[in-house]
Amino acid sequence: MADAPRLAGSTTLDRLGLAVLGLFSAASVAGFASFGLHPHLLARFPSSAWFYAPAFQIFARGHVVIAFLVLAYSLTARVGARWIPALLVAVGLSLGAELLGTATGFPFGGYRYTPMLGYRVAGLVPFLIPFSWFMMAFPAYVLARHASGGRFARWTLGAVLLTTWDLTLDPAMSSLTSYWVWESAGPYYGMPLVNLAGWMATSLFIMAGFDAVRAGPVADRIPARLMAAYYAIVLALSVAMTLAAGYWWAVVATLVVLLVVWKGARV
């Protein structure tokens, strides 16, 4: 009973990984909320100026790498390499969708990535982006597997959980910063609403793809509370950034969707 207050189903290394991810996210938000939103502060702290320019690249890339490694450990510790087919599905489908999107504007709308996220596949999509899709898609899939309903209902729930991430991710990464740029401004903090439809469609394909490679039994061995904590910590970065910038509607929209999901599916 001594471990009851702790995260159910987690190990010491799970909790350590989540703590490292949380601290890295907190440091990222602190830097953004201070120097990112108020660059004039650099004049008061000239010793920080040298780090200001590369910081936006380091923290964004570092967050994806750390989050992926934390998830990879939690999965490997429980199922060995059996999660790799799900990784390949998510990476393949998301990279295909992103390459199509950046080349043609379908299904997300016209946009392009800047060099801030590093090497770009075919000069279009940063190498890290497909891995970032997986690092939220699989936790969403695990949570959906623990909800009631048929297969399509679970796919839909997982897709909604994944798409909800973009309600703050896109304002944080394209409006507040410039990791990607929209060709024409849309009504949601510069994002066209068709992007959410593109996210939902891509997410549905990924959820179906997980089932196609029989990732369900793998997901069922992963503690739902652990994945809920992981999902929340990853989500918290973009939520905190939009909150610091006063993008209230993005935060409200995210929380409302999550509340509806929790009430309806008891995830």
Side-chain angles (χ1 to χ4, degrees):
M1 295 298 293
D3 291 337
R6 296 182 178 180
L7 190 61
S10 65
T11 67
T12 300
L13 286 178
D14 287 321
R15 294 190 291 273
L16 178 61
L18 292 177
V20 170
L21 178 58
L23 289 173
F24 189 87
S25 299
S28 301
V29 173
F32 169 75
S34 53
F35 297 111
L37 291 178
H38 309 286
H40 61 275
L41 292 177
L42 290 171
R44 296 175 54 186
F45 303 96
S47 60
S48 301
W50 69 272
F51 186 64
Y52 178 74
F56 282 95
Q57 300 178 29
I58 292 171
F59 282 113
R61 300 179 196 181
H63 184 262
V64 175
V65 171
I66 292 172
F68 177 80
L69 291 177
V70 169
L71 178 61
Y73 165 75
S74 294
L75 299 180
T76 303
R78 291 166 174 83
V79 299
R82 292 175 59 198
W83 61 277
I84 299 299
L87 170 66
L88 296 177
V89 163
V91 167
L93 290 175
S94 62
L95 178 59
E98 293 272 5
L99 286 172
L100 182 63
T102 49
T104 70
F106 177 85
F108 306 106
Y111 69 106
R112 60 178 175 82
Y113 284 100
T114 68
M116 292 178 66
L117 288 175
Y119 169 77
R120 287 173 287 181
V121 178
L124 297 172
V125 180
F127 177 78
L128 291 175
I129 288 295
F131 292 91
S132 71
W133 276 86
F134 174 78
M135 77 188 198
M136 283 297 261
F138 201 75
Y141 179 69
V142 171
L143 294 174
R145 290 278 303 182
H146 284 79
S148 59
R151 175 176 295 183
F152 186 73
R154 291 195 300 269
W155 292 352
T156 302
L157 176 58
V160 168
L161 287 171
L162 182 50
T163 302
T164 300
W165 182 33
D166 196 51
L167 292 175
T168 52
L169 180 69
D170 208 286
M173 302 301 168
S174 67
S175 178
L176 294 176
T177 54
S178 56
Y179 295 101
W180 56 84
V181 178
W182 292 102
E183 292 182 358
S184 56
Y188 186 80
Y189 300 104
M191 179 192 80
L193 295 181
V194 70
N195 181 53
L196 294 177
W199 264 74
M200 190 67 186
T202 304
S203 300
L204 280 170
F205 276 112
I206 291 174
M207 296 301 146
F210 287 158
D211 271 2
V213 296
R214 301 181 180 179
V218 174
D220 293 343
R221 293 182 58 183
I222 311 302
R225 290 188 181 182
L226 175 61
M227 289 297 94
Y230 174 89
Y231 177 95
I233 291 172
V234 174
L235 178 66
L237 175 64
S238 55
V239 168
M241 287 179 65
T242 51
L243 193 60
Y247 282 18
W248 306 108
W249 286 116
V251 177
V252 169
T254 300
L255 296 179
V256 166
V257 172
L258 292 178
L259 179 61
V260 170
V261 167
W262 182 78
K263 288 289 188 180
R266 291 292 189 270
V267 172

